[in-house]
Amino acid sequence: MKTFDYIRPATVSDAIAAAAEPGAVYLAAGTNLLDLMKGGVTRPDRLVDVTRLSGLDRIERLPDGGVRIGAMVRNADLAHDMDFARAYPAVAEALLSGASAQLRNAATVGGNLLQRTRCGYFYDTASACNKREPGAGCAARDGENKLHAVLGWSEACIATHPSDFCVPLTALDAVVEIEGRSGRREVALEAFHRLPGDTPERESVLAPGDLIVALRLPSEARGFSAHARYLKVRERTSYAFAVVSAAACVRIEHGTIREARLALGGVAAKPWRARAAEEVLAGVRPDPAIYRKAARAALADAKPSGDNAFKIELAERIIVRALMLAAAGTPQRIPALPASPFSSVPGVLHDA
Ligand SMILES: Cc1cc2nc3c(=O)[nH]c(=O)nc-3n(C[C@H](O)[C@H](O)[C@H](O)COP(=O)(O)OP(=O)(O)OC[C@H]3O[C@@H](n4cnc5c(N)ncnc54)[C@H](O)[C@@H]3O)c2cc1C
Ligand code: SF4
């Protein structure tokens, strides 16, 4: 068994100093990290437990109308905060579509951003994996790859990022607050995760010791609350990661889409903002033909990385469906089961 140190610092600065040492990692709820350690995929020398740091577990309404979410806020607490869910319904819907109730009760906001890919070869230490062991090769290229990336992938790695939460956050211009050895900085979530290139082991812009302290959503993101949905397709109805997902948020005035936000999950190593599609949608009347045009624009650069060409068409269809649901209006209550490709438009939705 691999031994490791466990420490629980009292302050953010102590945590950063402890985690900046080689072989150290932060421990939040451990719902991903501990699985990786048990399987020998990750073998840290030191766990720096950040769950008791004070001040990181708050949801704060900001004077400018935005919201600040501490990195230790639990996924379930955020999804069930009624003020938050009313203002950012697609984010709440995405949170509730992830994992299981038990996991959501434990998992933290910061940990969700940094959860690792669900590529099976990454978890199988007998397989070649450039992400786990740089230079080893990529078993997924000639293996089981139907769920792998169709956008932004490289010869070195074709894995996807599994988070649901990050998808609407990216669409709504969320910002990550980071504290590190050289002080505090902010990074747009869209720029936070890295595409694999030649270094798939580097998944985010974080440097050793960097701690996510909070996420912020700007006040403008509230402007989409009346027409915002998260739609997730998965291999079974609950407790499964997205094959493809889409967050669609539109601001409709006098029958015209003034502004649209669109992001995809399950298609790339990062949540994928579809800006070309947003341009197609701006200033036009909501209409399925326009949604199809936007969907084609969103996937224009997509190419299969293996046996997964179906994901391109699936993603286009999910975009169209998500836009139809969003344009029909956010439900009064978030559905008990998140939006499904089989729900009607506008549908009879189950109460939470
Ligand atoms: C069976 C199962 C099904 C799941 N299904 C889904 C799903 O459908 N959709 C979905 O989105 N997620 C899903 N998840 C993932 C789950 O949401 C994540 O495991 C969880 O969000 C991670 O949060 P955590 O607090 O447990 O992080 P941990 O496991 O403690 O940490 C994860 C990573 O983040 C780092 N980290 C944590 N906090 C910080 C911080 N503040 N600053 C810097 N680094 C930090 C850790 O060092 C570690 O590398 C599933 C998980 C499981 C086990
Ligand atoms: S796709 Fe990426 S994570 Fe999966 S085996 Fe290849 S290098 Fe590893």
Side-chain angles (χ1 to χ4, degrees):
M1 189 187 139
K2 164 94 169 75
T3 58
F4 56 86
D5 296 333
Y6 168 87
I7 58 170
R8 202 164 70 201
T11 65
V12 166
S13 53
D14 286 351
I16 292 166
E21 297 295 322
V25 293
Y26 288 119
L27 171 69
T31 61
N32 189 212
L33 180 60
L34 296 186
D35 275 356
L36 292 165
M37 288 172 66
K38 286 180 203 163
V41 179
T42 305
R43 298 170 61 81
D45 298 317
R46 172 188 279 184
L47 296 189
V48 181
D49 185 343
V50 288
T51 51
R52 312 278 175 95
L53 292 176
S54 67
L56 300 191
D57 58 353
R58 296 187 201 132
I59 305 167
E60 298 166 85
R61 181 86 185 260
L62 299 172
D64 68 359
V67 66
R68 183 173 186 272
I69 309 153
M72 290 304 131
V73 172
R74 308 285 167 171
N75 287 192
D77 290 339
L78 184 60
H80 292 297
D81 181 296
M82 285 322 291
D83 283 346
F84 180 83
R86 267 189 215 105
Y88 311 102
V91 182
E93 194 169 19
L95 280 166
L96 292 176
S97 80
S100 64
Q102 291 90 336
L103 282 160
R104 295 193 296 269
N105 284 339
T108 64
V109 158
N112 190 296
L113 264 58
L114 288 167
Q115 62 177 294
R116 312 294 301 276
T117 181
R118 290 283 157 176
C119 171
Y121 302 102
F122 174 70
Y123 285 78
D124 172 14
T125 53
S127 295
C129 174
N130 287 323
K131 190 185 277 298
R132 186 170 15 83
E133 192 186 336
C138 170
R141 288 311 309 274
D142 296 317
E144 174 55 62
N145 49 27
K146 72 180 165 67
L147 298 179
H148 285 69
V150 293
L151 284 161
W153 54 272
S154 71
E155 293 301 322
C157 180
I158 59 174
T160 58
H161 192 268
S163 169
D164 293 299
F165 180 47
C166 289
V167 180
L169 287 177
T170 299
L172 295 172
D173 286 339
V175 170
V176 188
E177 290 183 19
I178 300 162
E179 197 136 328
R181 281 175 296 179
S182 42
R184 186 174 284 233
R185 70 189 198 281
E186 297 181 353
V187 178
L189 182 59
E190 194 181 357
F192 179 80
H193 297 100
R194 296 179 74 255
L195 290 175
D198 295 332
T199 52
E201 72 282 8
R202 292 180 53 212
E203 295 174 352
S204 75
V205 298
L206 294 186
D210 278 354
L211 177 72
I212 298 175
V213 290
L215 276 177
R216 275 204 328 271
L217 275 165
S219 58
E220 304 82 68
R222 289 175 177 263
F224 297 93
S225 61
H227 295 279
R229 295 305 297 268
Y230 180 70
L231 181 58
K232 172 176 177 178
V233 182
R234 43 192 151 173
E235 290 184 323
R236 55 174 187 262
T237 311
S238 74
Y239 201 31
F241 291 92
V243 178
V244 170
S245 69
C249 308
V250 288
R251 194 159 54 76
I252 299 178
E253 286 170 12
H254 309 297
T256 298
I257 298 175
R258 288 288 161 224
E259 192 180 355
R261 301 288 183 84
L262 192 66
L264 298 174
V267 294
K270 57 189 285 184
W272 194 266
R273 179 85 177 256
R275 289 185 183 274
E278 293 175 4
E279 281 171 29
V280 170
L281 293 162
V284 299
R285 297 184 80 77
D287 176 77
I290 283 292
Y291 302 156
R292 283 193 285 275
K293 189 175 171 194
R296 283 194 296 277
L299 276 299
D301 295 332
K303 58 180 193 315
S305 60
D307 190 18
N308 55 4
F310 79 97
K311 279 181 95 168
I312 300 172
E313 179 165 356
L314 181 62
E316 290 186 13
R317 289 176 182 230
I318 291 311
I319 289 172
V320 172
R321 194 74 176 162
L323 286 165
M324 287 168 78
L325 286 166
T330 306
Q332 282 297 305
R333 293 182 187 213
I334 295 175
L337 279 177
S340 133
F342 308 112
S343 53
S344 54
V345 182
V348 178
L349 297 162
H350 304 284
D351 287 348

